[in-house]
Amino acid sequence: MLDLYETQIGSRLLLGTARYPSPAVLADAVKRSGTEIVTVSLRREAAGGRNGGVFFDMIRALGARVLPNTAGCHGVSEAVLTAKMAREVFQTNWIKLEVIGNHDTLQPDVFALVEAARILCSEGFEVFPYTTDDLVVAERLLEAGCKVLMPWCAPIGTAAGPLNLSALRSMRAHFPDVPLIVDAGIGRPSHATIVMEMGFDAVLLNTAVAGAGDPAAMAEAFAKAIGAGRQAFGAGMLEPRDMAVPSTPVIGTAVFA
């Protein structure tokens, strides 16, 4: 089980709800993924008007817990205001905090992120910060009151997979007791398996599933890949070796002249 702010979660796949071809396809993807948490943008919900209400009713009918996000925010005050509005709309203290600093890479503004996290944590929010793989930033977010970290492995929507495995390994080793959810940049189930084998606790996906030819089938594939990676990590994997090691013992085998 995954413990997020003292809430026990069975699935280690968190699923985004944007850019699906239709609500029916989204609903099917959520069901087949087995996810228990879906992210929802307040801006998407509010912009939808009457349709937005129907969309949220559909999400609630699926039984998934909503993790609202501050997607599209570019400053502290904007992110804090959006978070407060999301708490009223979705009736939850959970918030995925995004404060974007670069329009091209969608890289977080880590300075504004830490400040916004400090404000929100002091006001009772349970913050899931979308951050980089920088250890110093991670330390500051924890000091601000965050109990979960969500480092990227590549820029949002690129599907590039883990670009800096060394940094991700360092983050996992440096924060062994902090739930770490890889968010952004994963494009294939094999990418998800890699980070789960490294000991990360969960993966958050959107584009890789919503943009697939068959989103529901892809959601199921990711769920299986994440499960396999977590099981492999728990089982204890062999580390790479510099020399070949025979799988069959050579002692006691027959020798022919």
Side-chain angles (χ1 to χ4, degrees), residues 2-246:
L2 177 61
D3 190 342
L4 301 174
Y5 287 104
E6 300 182 358
T7 298
Q8 297 293 311
I9 303 297
S11 172
R12 294 178 182 270
L13 168 60
L14 289 69
L15 201 61
T17 57
R19 300 182 179 276
Y20 286 81
S22 71
V25 172
L26 167 60
D28 195 16
V30 170
K31 289 177 181 177
R32 289 182 62 177
S33 72
T35 186
E36 298 175 30
I37 300 174
V38 295
T39 62
V40 178
S41 169
L42 174 66
R43 292 166 185 248
R44 182 182 191 280
E45 172 69 9
R50 182 176 298 177
N51 290 334
V54 171
F55 170 79
F56 187 43
D57 288 341
M58 179 197 71
I59 294 297
R60 286 189 296 184
L62 292 172
R65 179 167 185 142
V66 174
L67 174 60
N69 67 52
T70 62
C73 292
H74 292 265
V76 174
S77 59
E78 184 183 13
V80 169
L81 177 60
T82 301
K84 291 180 178 179
M85 293 172 63
R87 178 157 64 178
E88 292 184 14
V89 171
F90 299 112
Q91 296 296 298
T92 178
N93 288 324
W94 280 18
I95 190 73
K96 179 189 171 188
L97 180 60
E98 297 182 29
V99 186
I100 300 303
N102 184 283
H103 292 280
D104 294 325
T105 65
L106 300 180
Q107 179 169 331
D109 179 339
V110 295
F111 305 101
L113 178 68
V114 171
E115 184 179 348
R118 183 174 291 109
I119 293 170
L120 293 174
C121 288
S122 71
E123 297 190 17
F125 282 89
E126 296 174 325
V127 178
F128 294 68
Y130 164 60
T131 184
T132 63
D133 51 23
D134 187 284
L135 296 181
V136 176
V137 175
E139 290 277 13
R140 298 295 180 268
L141 288 168
L142 295 175
E143 291 170 1
C146 299
K147 296 182 179 179
V148 175
L149 298 173
M150 302 182 73
W152 70 350
C153 73
I156 293 173
T158 60
L163 296 181
N164 193 337
L165 290 173
S166 178
L168 290 173
R169 288 192 185 96
S170 294
M171 178 167 275
R172 178 70 282 178
H174 199 71
F175 304 106
D177 301 320
V178 177
L180 300 179
I181 302 171
V182 173
D183 177 19
I186 286 180
R188 300 184 179 191
S190 57
H191 296 159
T193 302
I194 288 171
V195 297
M196 293 303 292
E197 287 179 347
M198 293 167 61
F200 282 83
D201 296 285
V203 169
L204 194 158
L205 300 163
N206 191 155
T207 307
V209 172
D214 185 340
M218 186 61 73
E220 184 176 349
F222 268 108
K224 292 177 178 178
I226 289 168
R230 182 65 185 182
Q231 185 173 354
F233 172 74
M237 295 174 293
L238 288 175
E239 293 299 321
R241 297 164 172 169
D242 294 330
M243 298 179 62
V245 178

